[in-house]
Amino acid sequence: MENNNLPRRKFLSNIAITGAGFVLGLPQIANASDNGKPALLGGPKAHPGGYSGWPLFDSTEEKAVMDVLKSGTWGRLGGNVVSNFEKAYSEMLGVKHTLGVSSGTSALTTILGAMDLGPGDEAIIPVYTFIATYNVIVLNYALPILVDTDIESFQIDAGKVEAAITPQTKLIMPVHIGGTPADLDKLMAIAQKTRIPLIEDACQAHLAEWKGKKVGSYGLAGAFSFQASKNLNCAEGGAITTNDSDFAQTCYRFHNQGQGGHTTAYTPGTGTRATNLRLTEFQGNLLLAQMTRLQAQAKRRAENAAYLSAQLKEIKGIYPAKMYEGTTLSAFHLYMFRYDRQHFDGLSRETFLKALQAEGVPCSEGYGQMNRDTYVTGLAQNKHYLKIYGEKTMREWLERNQCPQNDKLTGEQAVWFFQNMLLGSHTDMDQIAAAIRKIKKNAKALAKL
């Protein structure tokens, strides 16, 4: 079976060829069009071909779905496929327990439910993240405390976390944005000093490592997403990882209507709140199928990212996202860099992105300013929050959420490439760099558009 955009045989062939080039150090030929007219001005595209489609699949996934279909057991209750996935994922990440759930958001919801987060509590999260990180806090009527961004890494600024802690702080929840670890040494030190649990939102960070150890194994628990765009996906799904056996059982009960435990033996329901966030057998088997190529894909992304970064660092005004010293592997769900218009004759980021897209290079400006979004600021007028916290506290909450570095990053600098782009060849990376060089050379002309 072929992927919807790229035949699997061709994809694997490309990997084999470019992998040989990487190992042997064969010269890479830059696209000749990097010195020509930008595509936005009528010139040829620097990257005329396409990128790998996503997801990649073959008969392995087809068999996984059909096996569950024919088994007649489609849900995890009574089945064993989800349990098999949980064991395999635990082994891959080096953790004691994995719990499959219905989404990355469900993973966070389950963790916070197991922690009994509720009204009057505060949770520290980064301002630069997907809205789900915020949503799971407010669904529990707790206060999300947004911490500014380290503009060089795109990650939460660990140096500003301790100042955000109050007696009401219930948890610290960094996000490994783009699949690159946040500064776990500093964050774990704060968590240990204050005795506040650290929860890793690792939804984008499958197989990422900090000092040779997989993320999702450092805090009390980690949350992963298997949504359709993720490096490991089953359309919708998620997982919780933890080394705390008691917490694993509490999470199981919460995601299973308060009933049962994370063992083969039945245990009675406990607690007072729970819901149904179970993963299906179909999703579990799709994940097992996708896992057969996950490590090879992670290696390919890391190699291509390093190769691309070496070229982009030579272009003034382009700054690949910094990785902290403890990072031994990034998942590169996103390839992120900063764009400085001053080195591009004042060319706006908006036009820079349009020019890149015209060159055949998909890109995005990434996340916006969550702390200024009316969806978020409107919380200060939410009737339930006003009843719980009062007007004064909610006004102060808005003031606490000022994030000037994030404003600068999101307002004019951030640029994203996507994980499937890093599954191509070194020639693809050469052409991305060539496109940016061509745009820079012609920035004055492009600025007149």
Side-chain angles (χ1 to χ4, degrees):
M1 178 183 292
E2 293 184 352
N3 175 267
N4 54 350
N5 286 318
L6 182 71
R8 180 171 181 268
R9 183 176 297 175
K10 182 178 179 182
F11 169 72
L12 295 175
S13 176
N14 285 347
I15 285 182
I17 293 170
T18 57
F22 184 86
V23 173
L24 298 174
L26 299 177
Q28 300 293 330
I29 307 301
N31 191 298
S33 66
D34 68 338
N35 291 317
K37 184 186 294 186
L40 202 59
L41 297 176
K45 291 183 177 181
H47 187 270
Y51 292 96
S52 166
W54 192 257
L56 296 173
F57 61 91
D58 59 19
S59 57
T60 309
E61 282 78 7
E62 183 178 9
K63 182 177 186 300
V65 172
M66 293 305 298
D67 283 351
V68 173
L69 183 71
K70 293 176 181 178
S71 75
T73 304
W74 297 356
R76 83 162 292 159
L77 301 181
N80 59 17
V81 174
V82 172
S83 295
N84 290 339
F85 158 71
E86 291 167 342
K87 291 175 185 176
Y89 201 64
S90 291
E91 290 177 5
M92 182 173 279
L93 268 63
V95 296
K96 291 182 180 179
H97 303 282
T98 293
L99 175 64
V101 291
S102 57
S103 69
T105 305
S106 296
L108 294 171
T109 299
T110 300
I111 290 169
L112 301 187
M115 294 180 70
D116 199 26
L117 187 75
D121 294 332
E122 294 180 359
I124 292 175
I125 64 173
V127 67
Y128 195 74
T129 184
F130 183 56
I131 196 65
T133 312
Y134 162 89
N135 280 336
V136 294
I137 306 299
V138 300
L139 280 172
N140 288 282
Y141 295 101
L143 271 180
I145 305 303
L146 308 180
V147 172
D148 206 356
T149 308
D150 174 359
I151 198 168
E152 293 186 357
S153 69
F154 290 62
Q155 306 295 332
I156 189 171
D157 188 336
K160 296 178 180 177
V161 168
E162 194 163 2
I165 293 173
T166 73
Q168 287 73 47
T169 304
K170 187 73 175 284
L171 60 94
I172 300 168
M173 192 159 73
V175 181
H176 302 307
I177 292 295
T180 299
D183 193 338
L184 279 170
D185 279 0
K186 288 184 179 179
L187 292 164
M188 286 297 294
I190 294 169
Q192 290 166 3
K193 175 184 175 182
T194 60
R195 297 185 179 181
I196 297 172
L198 183 86
I199 302 301
E200 296 177 72
D201 183 336
C203 285
Q204 300 177 355
H206 313 83
L207 299 189
E209 294 178 0
W210 181 263
K211 294 186 174 179
K213 184 180 172 183
K214 299 291 192 298
V215 301
S217 64
Y218 280 87
L220 171 63
F224 292 85
S225 171
F226 307 132
Q227 181 267 344
S229 71
K230 299 300 190 294
N231 298 18
L232 176 62
N233 94 87
C234 60
E236 293 288 353
I240 297 160
T241 56
T242 183
N243 290 312
D244 187 314
S245 297
D246 290 338
F247 191 71
Q249 293 229 17
T250 304
C251 286
Y252 185 95
R253 287 192 292 267
F254 184 89
H255 105 299
N256 188 41
Q257 304 288 19
Q259 308 304 305
H262 200 231
T263 65
T264 54
Y266 175 79
T267 58
T270 59
T272 58
R273 295 189 307 152
T275 187
N276 171 18
L277 299 172
R278 294 188 297 265
L279 192 72
T280 70
E281 297 283 274
F282 287 107
Q283 292 165 304
N285 231 19
L286 269 177
L287 289 167
L288 285 167
Q290 290 275 292
M291 283 169 65
T292 62
R293 54 178 73 87
L294 181 63
Q295 291 175 313
Q297 289 171 344
K299 181 181 179 182
R300 169 53 42 188
R301 290 188 190 97
E303 289 177 350
N304 272 329
Y307 183 82
L308 178 60
S309 290
Q311 295 194 58
L312 297 190
K313 286 177 181 178
E314 296 178 354
I315 305 174
K316 286 187 177 181
I318 301 295
Y319 307 101
K322 178 184 76 175
M323 291 191 287
Y324 295 111
E325 190 174 342
T327 301
T328 46
L329 182 67
S330 170
F332 285 106
H333 177 63
L334 300 168
Y335 182 96
M336 305 178 293
F337 65 91
R338 289 180 295 131
Y339 167 75
D340 186 347
R341 64 185 296 175
Q342 292 183 0
H343 292 282
F344 281 71
D345 292 314
L347 183 69
S348 70
R349 181 181 59 170
E350 180 182 7
T351 304
F352 173 76
L353 293 172
K354 287 181 180 177
L356 258 183
Q357 290 163 350
E359 297 292 343
V361 180
C363 54
S364 169
E365 65 182 25
Y367 296 131
Q369 298 171 356
M370 184 193 293
N371 59 318
R372 298 180 182 275
D373 192 323
T374 55
Y375 178 77
V376 173
T377 60
L379 190 69
Q381 300 300 319
N382 181 283
K383 64 181 181 180
H384 304 295
Y385 272 77
L386 289 173
K387 183 184 297 184
I388 296 166
Y389 299 97
E391 291 185 11
K392 182 175 181 292
T393 297
M394 294 311 296
R395 283 198 306 270
E396 291 172 347
W397 173 75
L398 289 175
E399 294 171 1
R400 292 172 70 184
N401 289 337
Q402 298 306 304
C403 299
Q405 289 300 297
N406 192 69
D407 290 347
K408 184 176 181 181
L409 176 66
T410 57
E412 57 189 53
Q413 293 190 357
V415 179
W416 288 359
F417 296 147
F418 307 102
Q419 57 90 359
N420 65 304
M421 297 167 66
L422 296 176
L423 292 176
S425 67
H426 281 182
T427 298
D428 289 318
M429 304 304 108
D430 290 330
Q431 291 173 344
I432 291 172
I436 295 174
R437 288 193 295 267
K438 184 164 59 164
I439 291 168
K440 183 172 185 178
K441 184 176 181 180
N442 296 274
K444 285 185 180 179
L446 288 165
K448 296 177 182 178
L449 294 176

